[in-house]
Amino acid sequence: MINTDKKKKSIGKRILKWVSIFVLLLIIATISIPFLFKDKIVVMVTNTINNNINATVTFKDADLSLFKNFPSLSLTVNDLAVANKAPFVGDTLFNAKELSLALNITELFKKSNETLAIKSITSKEGDINIIFDKNGNGNFDIAIPTKETTTTSGDSTFSLNIDSYELQDINFNYLDRSTNTKMSLDSIYHTGEGNFAKEVFNLDTETTGYVSLDLDKTNYLSKVKVSLDAIIAIDLKNSKYTFKENTGYINQLPLEFDGFVQLVDENQLYDLKFKTPTSSFKNALALLPKQYAGNLESIKTEGNFEVNGVVKGTFSDKTIPAFDIEIISKNALFKYADLPKSVTNINIDTKIVNKTGLIKDTYVAVNQFNFKIDEDTFAANGNFKNITTNPYINITAKGTINLANIGKVYPAPLEQELEGILNANISTNFDMNSIDKGTYQNIKNSGNLTLSNFKYDGKDVANTFYIDKTSINFNTNTIKLNEFNAKTGSSDLAINGNLDNFYGFIFKDEVLKGNFALNSNNLKVADFITEGETSEKTATTSTLKIPAFLDVTLTANAKKVVYDNLNLTNVSGQLIIHDEMVDLKNLKSDIFGGNIGLNGNVSTKETTSSFKMDLNLSELNISDSFTSLDMLKAIAPIAKTIEGKINSTITVSGNLNNDMTPNLNTITGDLLGQLLNTKINTSNSKVLSALSNNVSFLDVDKLNLDKIKGNFSFKDGKVTVKPIPLKYNDINIEIGGTHGFDQSMNYNLVFDVPVKYLGSDVTNLIAKLTAKDASSIKSIPVNGTLTGSFNSPKFSSNIKDATANLVKDLIEKQKNQLIDQGKDKLKDLIGMNTKKDSTSTETAKDKVTDKVKDVLGGLFGKKKKDTVKKN
């Protein structure tokens, strides 16, 4: 017995040992198999691709794992792309960040040229692009034709014996270049399960995505959320797909499908019906995107809303399935629980129909659409036909809407409530060919639209915007704005005129053309400039953007316009708005006791706004204009000390700041000005004070600037002043040079100083010359410089050297003159000893130096008393 137990224990230990070894081997195999077979699997995938499709396939790398879908083997291909060859060179059929294939582990032991049996496929983050060119060729037709009777080792294919597949965040794009039709299904999440090994099986699917549709540049659907949970019976032999149990949603509107789609030859046969499973009016609100529909659970409704449709026929190169879609609602109402008012008397009768299977015969008929809020009623009807050839539109609308009630009946996502009464009684019918060709006489419009007591306050306006009344008449050729009276901030506007291209603007993205007259008693530019976004990194900015869609001419008259710190009166002229620019023509205004004329333009087309102007200033007060206008202040800062008038022409261009004022660091141009009836106030300028303190013979306050002309050019923050001639009594002065917008300066001054201002010592020396020599010495040139800055000027001159040279010259002339008259007389005149020794020579030199010092005593520096009698 003991031996038996020992044997049993021994066998148990052996079994445990072998199990442990097996588990260890299994773990080792699980880890090592991917490394051992990875290259082989990649070769098999590459061979399969190259032998079966006519496209360029690339991928970054491939991974093989037993852990991801254990016990199946998982092959993951990263950054996969399938690029088309001719005739679709440059197009991509498919790309994915990750494509995973699940295989049985037995597939590892197949030869590299044998078929791989795929159990499941998962694709993540990619795009599927189906494109038809103008000849009807499809980019998806990339399979290499094979003969069923021929079998070669190189013609291996995947065996799609899959039981599931999954798409995660995939975008599907359809483009038909022959009809310019675009359809997209974005952000697709789709799963499907079924036994694809059988010819007849059920495919259980779940799908969500967002549908967009454009037909010939016109958008009909934009990111409409759709979903479908469906069991589809698939008959692979007959290529027939039948909807069984299913529920689909358009936004939140539920729809049930019944019928099938079948591939017959190269065409598709449709026989489908769909309907809303219930008739509650909640279905109508469910058509809206969720963020706009509000809480459907809390809404009270009465009446019905039903959608029923039939799609039956063949989709081919020439035909589409015929369809009849009906949307009906009778005597319905709805009221949100947390809102005070309800919408009643809702009636809808709409049909979307195609009876022939030809796209051009599709039409939409809105036979009835009306509702009531309080006592206000609104009704509209119309129809659309010839959608793909020459769309024809016929619409009639009549009724009243109190805009304040919109937020009281419907949870509109408005940050600010609207106010105002809209009255409409309009009808229009037109065809798109007439709009394309500009034959607007074929458009038939009639009626009028008025809006009164309108109020809007939102982030896109600087101040609350009020429209007292606006009235629009619809005529055959034009839309006439009879009146538009509005206020915002302290500004008022009155506009009337015509719109000439309204339908081109609405339907063809063309510019909006028109001619208007604008009148205002007070127009403040800041009232129309909105505050930009503020962040921790950027300060609050203001922007004024001229709309790109406007091509209008405004003839403006305003009694007062406030721009920055400027008050302009009696403003008139033309503003031509086009291409994100405003051209100013013959714009005139009274300002600073005179008037300004402007011609030029302002552009907001680029990231940085710019301007280019020609200005004509007539009799402006100098001190006011050159103090208030930063640009003029920077060009001629000295002008603030001058009282009087100025006539000037200015050519200037540069960039604008966000508040539409000139960026002084960028302006370039020229200024030519003439002063009138001027007077100088030295106390207002440190520069003029420096001249007065350093030039004894100059009284700056008495400078005569009347009719003086100045020529300034400026660029890159630097102003160049061409030499300006000035006159002070009988002293000629010329000043020119440069200064910067940073107030730095570097000016040159040239004084033509009459000798009489140089003192009695100089004049006595001149008096002793002959008449001929004395007449040749009337004045001397003195050069001075002004450097530093306008707030801290530095003055220097060569007056000492110039005067010393003059005295030496005079003494030399006298010496030459006296030599001619006799040596003794010369000795007496200059007080020299008759003995020519070293001592007498030094005494003569000292006397010359003393005379020079006496002359310089009262010129540039401290003023010398009684030297010059002031005038």
Side-chain angles (χ1 to χ4, degrees), residues 363-395:
Y363 70 89
V364 178
V366 182
N367 299 318
Q368 184 180 21
F369 175 74
N370 60 263
F371 61 86
K372 183 177 181 180
I373 304 175
D374 288 342
E375 297 304 314
D376 296 332
T377 61
F378 187 86
N381 62 75
N383 57 74
F384 311 86
K385 59 183 180 181
N386 302 331
I387 291 177
T388 60
T389 53
N390 178 24
Y392 178 85
I393 300 170
N394 179 18
I395 299 174

Side-chain angles (χ1 to χ4, degrees), residues 615-675:
L615 297 91
N616 187 2
L617 315 182
S618 178
E619 295 191 1
L620 265 63
N621 288 327
I622 298 171
S623 59
D624 291 342
S625 56
F626 281 77
T627 300
S628 301
L629 295 173
D630 289 340
M631 184 176 71
L632 295 183
K633 189 190 306 181
I635 295 171
I638 198 70
K640 69 180 181 179
T641 67
I642 302 173
E643 297 176 3
K645 299 280 188 177
I646 185 172
N647 290 333
S648 178
T649 58
I650 305 174
T651 300
V652 59
S653 62
N655 295 335
L656 292 169
N657 298 313
N658 288 327
D659 60 356
M660 304 306 287
T661 57
N663 182 337
L664 297 183
N665 293 324
T666 67
I667 64 172
T668 300
D670 299 282
L671 183 153
L672 178 63
Q674 183 180 38
L675 305 181

Side-chain angles (χ1 to χ4, degrees), residues 544-614:
L544 179 64
K545 192 74 173 175
I546 300 169
F549 61 80
L550 286 181
D551 186 0
V552 300
T553 298
L554 282 173
T555 301
N557 282 281
K559 292 182 179 179
K560 182 179 179 181
V561 175
V562 179
Y563 173 61
D564 198 24
N565 63 334
L566 303 180
N567 294 311
L568 298 90
T569 58
N570 301 322
V571 179
S572 64
Q574 273 195 336
L575 290 82
I576 302 172
I577 304 171
H578 67 102
D579 197 27
E580 299 183 58
M581 296 174 59
V582 175
D583 291 336
L584 307 177
K585 289 193 173 181
N586 300 319
L587 194 64
K588 299 176 182 178
S589 173
D590 295 338
I591 188 173
F592 301 134
N595 59 73
I596 295 180
L598 297 93
N599 286 280
N601 64 69
V602 173
S603 174
T604 64
K605 189 171 185 178
E606 305 299 331
T607 303
T608 302
S609 300
S610 61
F611 75 102
K612 184 177 182 180
M613 292 287 175
D614 292 329

Side-chain angles (χ1 to χ4, degrees), residues 48-330:
T48 300
I49 290 172
N50 290 335
N51 292 330
N52 288 275
I53 65 172
N54 180 32
T56 302
V57 179
T58 60
F59 56 88
K60 184 177 181 181
D61 53 41
D63 295 318
L64 198 62
S65 172
L66 276 171
F67 294 105
K68 195 171 183 179
N69 290 297
F70 189 81
S72 297
L73 185 69
S74 178
L75 173 65
T76 300
V77 180
N78 297 310
D79 295 333
L80 174 68
V82 180
N84 287 107
K85 296 183 179 179
F88 293 94
V89 175
D91 294 324
T92 299
L93 175 63
F94 173 74
N95 67 75
K97 186 175 182 180
E98 181 181 301
L99 180 68
S100 296
L101 310 175
L103 315 125
N104 289 324
I105 196 170
T106 55
E107 301 301 302
L108 294 174
F109 303 102
K110 288 185 176 180
K111 296 180 180 179
S112 60
N113 61 353
E114 291 185 321
T115 299
L116 283 176
I118 309 298
K119 292 184 64 179
S120 67
I121 303 174
T122 301
S123 182
K124 296 180 180 180
E125 298 181 37
D127 300 277
I128 302 171
N129 302 298
I130 301 299
I131 302 172
F132 286 91
D133 64 15
K134 294 183 178 181
N135 298 319
N137 300 311
N139 72 325
F140 56 89
D141 188 12
I142 60 173
I144 296 176
T146 58
K147 294 182 180 180
E148 294 181 0
T149 56
T150 303
T151 302
T152 64
S153 60
D155 289 332
S156 59
T157 61
F158 284 112
S159 173
L160 293 178
N161 295 324
I162 64 175
D163 51 30
S164 67
Y165 62 93
E166 183 176 3
L167 303 177
Q168 297 181 15
D169 196 13
I170 300 296
N171 301 317
F172 173 83
N173 302 294
Y174 172 89
L175 172 62
D176 187 340
R177 289 173 175 155
S178 64
T179 60
N180 202 15
T181 299
K182 298 178 182 179
M183 187 193 75
S184 64
L185 185 59
D186 298 333
S187 303
I188 301 171
Y189 286 84
H190 172 83
T191 61
E193 295 183 1
N195 189 349
F196 284 81
K198 295 183 178 180
E199 287 191 345
V200 178
F201 63 95
N202 289 333
L203 179 65
D204 193 350
T205 65
E206 293 182 7
T207 308
T208 62
Y210 295 86
V211 174
S212 298
L213 176 65
D214 293 84
L215 298 177
D216 195 20
K217 298 182 180 180
T218 301
N219 177 257
Y220 290 93
L221 298 173
S222 179
K223 294 190 178 298
V224 176
K225 185 177 180 180
V226 295
S227 62
L228 176 65
D229 295 345
I231 295 177
I232 304 173
I234 296 180
D235 183 348
L236 293 177
K237 183 177 181 180
N238 296 301
S239 299
K240 186 175 182 180
Y241 307 89
T242 304
F243 285 94
K244 300 177 74 173
E245 301 174 17
N246 64 84
T247 301
Y249 289 86
I250 301 176
N251 286 327
Q252 298 180 77
L253 174 69
L255 291 174
E256 292 182 350
F257 292 83
D258 185 20
F260 66 88
V261 177
Q262 186 173 10
L263 304 182
V264 179
D265 296 327
E266 295 182 356
N267 301 321
Q268 302 167 27
L269 179 63
Y270 288 81
D271 190 350
L272 296 173
K273 295 180 181 180
F274 57 88
K275 65 178 181 178
T276 52
T278 66
S279 61
S280 169
F281 191 78
K282 287 184 180 180
N283 292 335
L285 299 172
L287 270 173
L288 299 172
K290 188 174 182 179
Q291 61 269 34
Y292 299 128
N295 183 7
L296 297 183
E297 298 299 324
S298 65
I299 194 172
K300 174 188 175 183
T301 63
E302 294 180 7
N304 68 317
F305 181 86
E306 300 177 8
V307 177
N308 297 287
V310 175
V311 179
K312 190 171 184 177
T314 302
F315 185 88
S316 66
D317 293 339
K318 298 180 179 180
T319 64
I320 62 171
F323 54 84
D324 188 344
I325 302 171
E326 186 178 57
I327 303 172
I328 298 292
S329 180
K330 295 181 180 179

